[in-house]
Amino acid sequence: MKTKHLVIILIWLGLLLPFKATKAQSSPNLIAPAFQVGEELKYKFKYGIFNCAEGVMKVEESQKEFNHVKPFRLVAKGETVSAVAMIMKVRNRYDSYVNPATLKPFLFTESVREGDYKRDSYASFDHKNKVVNSKKASFPIGDNTLDVLS
């Protein structure tokens, strides 16, 4: 069971590495993202000749607004395929709504479906008051706290 979770974490880390941000020259507080709306990354995970899983990350225009800011919507989806899906069906989705100027998150949601295990959760970020709110509790955060996608 632990090996399965480790594999899933490693897969998602592989998905997340391409999202880097560089500092803009004009202001030390602004970030020029290395991506734009419409970009999409697709991954196929293989074990030898067998296709095991597929993943996609994309940047979308958000329909939501936070504090009068129209954020980027970062979407990551992953699922097992072929015979692997018959053994262990995984259907995970992660959404992050981030400020396009700072890349700090406003809201993070996840829908995890791994076999019989299911979890839906969220984290709402209040950077002004340095707190993140979730289903379970509120937690203090630092100035540059991010979620798994941002």
Side-chain angles (χ1 to χ4, degrees):
M1 185 66 89
K2 290 182 181 179
T3 304
K4 172 186 71 172
H5 287 99
L6 179 61
V7 169
I8 292 168
I9 289 170
L10 291 175
I11 288 170
W12 282 110
L13 284 175
L15 287 172
L16 299 176
L17 290 178
F19 280 95
K20 288 187 175 181
T22 57
K23 293 277 184 184
Q25 296 293 338
S26 60
S27 171
N29 295 328
L30 295 179
I31 296 174
F35 52 86
Q36 61 187 349
V37 170
E39 289 192 37
E40 186 174 293
L41 299 170
K42 291 184 180 183
Y43 295 90
K44 288 189 180 189
F45 302 95
K46 293 185 175 192
Y47 185 75
I49 60 170
F50 300 104
N51 286 333
C52 297
E54 293 178 353
V56 64
M57 290 187 74
K58 52 187 166 180
V59 183
E60 298 177 346
E61 203 173 313
S62 174
Q63 299 303 314
K64 298 181 182 192
E65 279 192 18
F66 298 88
N67 302 325
H68 306 292
V69 175
K70 193 141 184 142
F72 286 147
R73 180 180 184 186
L74 308 178
V75 179
K77 294 186 223 177
E79 61 184 35
T80 51
V81 295
S82 66
V84 176
M86 292 193 294
I87 298 167
M88 178 58 175
K89 188 174 182 178
V90 173
R91 301 286 184 267
N92 294 345
R93 179 185 174 116
Y94 305 90
D95 292 89
S96 181
Y97 297 86
V98 300
N99 186 318
T102 65
L103 297 184
K104 289 183 180 180
F106 293 114
L107 176 67
F108 173 79
T109 63
E110 68 178 353
S111 173
V112 176
R113 304 290 184 267
E114 298 171 1
D116 294 332
Y117 177 77
K118 295 180 181 181
R119 181 180 74 235
D120 292 307
S121 61
Y122 72 91
S124 177
F125 292 80
D126 182 350
H127 292 283
K128 182 179 178 184
N129 295 311
K130 297 185 179 182
V131 66
V132 63
N133 300 302
S134 70
K135 281 184 178 180
K136 295 182 180 182
S138 293
F139 304 96
I141 59 174
D143 287 334
N144 295 311
T145 300
L146 304 173
D147 61 47
V148 71
L149 291 181
S150 61

